[in-house]
């Protein structure tokens, strides 16, 4: 399983350049190739909020429906939050992603912020690194 960080998913949903093409290729491979692709439960709520706020509720519903249909959702509960706290990172959200990826036995985390995951129990790769491996 491949954990997709929020920034990679938002690159695709918001067509953010210059990252859109490579992030879309990662998402395509996670769904149809090496997959399954996964996202953390809290990433789904953030995506719903952001799309709803900037595009509208219908678009948020469509985005969430697509994510739920195509990606595995990794739970974030007490155990993952406690594990994230134990990592002692300054960015708690990234620590939660790492803890959720670890719990779900993900092979890697694909993120544009690899440096933020330097101490992750699950290896982090940039989208380019993921596609080249």
């Amino acid at each position: 399983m491949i954990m997709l960080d929020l920034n990679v998913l938002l690159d695709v949903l918001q067509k953010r350049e210059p990252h859109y093409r490579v992030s879309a290729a990662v998402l395509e491979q996670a769904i149809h190739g090496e997959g399954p692709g996964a996202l953390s439960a809290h990433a789904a709520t953030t995506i719903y909020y952001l799309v709803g706020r900037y595009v509208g509720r219908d678009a948020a519903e469509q985005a969430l429906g697509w994510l739920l249909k195509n990606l595995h959702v990794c739970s974030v509960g007490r155990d993952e939050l406690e594990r994230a706290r134990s990592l002692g990172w300054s960015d708690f959200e990234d620590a939660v992603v790492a803890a959720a990826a670890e719990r779900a036995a993900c092979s890697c985390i694909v993120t544009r912020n690899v440096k933020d995951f330097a101490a992750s129990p699950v290896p982090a790769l940039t989208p380019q690194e993921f596609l080249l491996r």
Side-chain angles (χ1 to χ4, degrees):
M1 189 165 349
I2 303 152
M3 176 66 78
L4 302 169
D5 195 13
L6 181 59
N7 56 48
V8 173
L9 294 167
L10 288 175
D11 288 345
V12 176
L13 290 170
Q14 296 177 327
K15 296 186 179 176
R16 298 192 300 199
E17 294 296 350
H19 310 290
Y20 171 75
R21 289 188 195 284
V22 70
S23 292
V26 167
L27 187 57
E28 179 74 19
Q29 189 163 348
I31 293 170
H32 300 292
E34 188 173 326
L39 78 156
S40 63
H42 74 286
T45 64
T46 302
I47 288 169
Y48 189 92
Y49 169 77
L50 290 173
V51 173
R53 179 171 180 161
Y54 294 104
V55 183
R57 185 159 191 240
D58 288 344
E61 286 290 333
Q62 284 184 322
L64 181 61
W66 188 89
L67 291 169
L68 293 175
K69 178 181 175 187
N70 291 288
L71 299 174
H72 174 80
V73 179
C74 295
S75 297
V76 175
R78 176 181 295 275
D79 291 342
E80 291 77 21
L81 295 173
E82 290 291 351
R83 174 64 171 138
R85 285 180 61 203
S86 77
L87 293 174
W89 297 3
S90 60
D91 188 325
F92 185 66
E93 191 273 335
D94 286 342
V96 172
V97 170
E102 180 181 40
R103 173 66 71 142
C106 291
S107 61
C108 65
I109 300 167
V110 181
T111 179
R112 284 191 291 102
N113 299 322
V114 174
K115 67 179 178 17
D116 293 347
F117 290 88
S120 174
V122 176
L125 303 171
T126 66
Q128 294 84 349
E129 291 169 335
F130 174 78
L131 293 172
L132 290 174
R133 67 182 185 133

